[in-house]
Amino acid sequence: MKDRTRREFLAAGGAALAAAPLAGRVLASAPYAPPPAPAAGTVGYCIVGLGRVSIGQFLPGLRYAPHARPTALVSRDPGIAAIIARRYGIEPRHIYNYANFDRIADDPAIQAVYIALPNALHAEYSIRAARAGKHVLCEKPMAANSGQAERMVEACRRAGRKLMIAYRCQYEPATLRARQVARSGELGPLQMITARYGFNISPTFRLMGETRPEWRLKRALAGGGPLMDVGIYCLNAARFISGQEPAALQAEIGNTPGDARFREVEENLSWSMRFASGLTAACATSYGASLGESFELYGARNASLRLDPAYGYSSHRLVAGGAAPRLDFTPDFSGHRQFGAEAEHFARCILENREPRTPGEEGLRDMRLMARIYAAAGVKG
Ligand code: NAD
């Protein structure tokens, strides 16, 4: 079955998980069978937060990560944890909750944690995991603000543990090809980027037959609105593909008067960035409208690149335009391979004692830039 994009998934209120009771879905999908264990060994992941991304994406993605295994779970819902544990062959003694979380320190089956909690909880559980001696793979955005992100980097440094931010697109072949072409000079000096990612958010979502309020609309849990959630993909792609850092930026926010969803976070946000080379970027994100998910890059040789879809879970397509050498590339990277690729990369970094390609410092750069974007739009920090 072709994966749905994340935007479609969220817009449908997580219906892919909710359409049938989870147990039914779990039984209906292919049973989890770990890939053959390589001689170099494997890294045991403790999954912290059993919600949409961990159940629907990351855990199934582990079948594409030969050096990774799901070995423990952290959840506030024992019923959900028991279903997922059975599905992935995790013994009950490796199931934790948020009160006894620190006991993971004594669990030798865990080498790394995967943090898939609401944004404002990333820092607390990343720091506690590092203090428990575990390496940390944390979902994007890295935290709810840059102060929290700084503390995460410092805690992992002090504990001598690795910290990686789950920028799955940086492990996705079409994005990597776009980066290679952009930096090859084929397009000429880079002139302009346009990027969009937005969807119409529902105030609630359904998970395992239960209706839950969407924490993405609560500032205290999300830290911000669509910029933190999906606009970050545009920001990160602009930096990653061009290889340049923004020197200046401007931003505007617009909220529909009276729309109760946007009492605490922004609805529509457009921002622009100028880079030292003269490259500029015009970006947009929204929780009020479906903007699609695109990334375009224009060079001085009348040549361009277009990634569309650019940020979803599968089917990324990279097309060159104008005077650029012909290119129409859709990698065979469907299923949950993006999540498998990032889990595998981090596992290899742990086993081989290498630094991840998307370390905490990379997440921190985006956090600081998003703080500047909000400040430019007049949002008080
Ligand atoms: P979700 O709401 O589906 O899951 C969040 C989990 O946190 C749930 O298991 C929930 O029970 C738990 N939780 C613990 N304390 C909570 C609290 N106080 N309030 C609410 N939930 C609490 O969220 P999600 O969509 O899976 O997102 C989780 C993280 O993953 C976010 O940081 C999000 O930005 C990120 N994410 C990344 C991708 C990606 O493609 N990389 C996709 C989706 C989400």
Side-chain angles (χ1 to χ4, degrees), residues 6 10 49-54 75-76 98 114-119 121-122 139-141 166 168 205 207 212 214-216 221 228-229 233 313 339 342:
R6 177 174 179 285
L10 280 172
L50 296 180
R52 287 163 286 183
V53 73
S54 50
S75 173
R76 57 184 180 175
Y98 297 101
Y114 168 66
I115 307 281
L117 295 166
N119 308 338
L121 303 178
H122 290 185
E139 263 305 341
K140 50 52 62 183
R168 61 181 165 73
F205 68 96
L207 184 74
R212 301 182 179 195
E214 180 55 85
W215 59 263
R216 285 174 168 78
L221 284 171
M228 302 279 287
D229 189 25
Y233 286 92
Y313 293 144
F339 288 86
E342 68 183 8

Side-chain angles (χ1 to χ4, degrees), residues 82-105:
I83 293 170
I84 301 300
R86 271 200 301 281
R87 174 70 178 81
Y88 287 90
I90 296 167
E91 291 173 34
R93 66 193 165 94
H94 299 299
I95 299 177
Y96 300 88
N97 56 46
Y98 297 101
N100 66 18
F101 177 82
D102 300 300
R103 282 201 220 143
I104 65 169

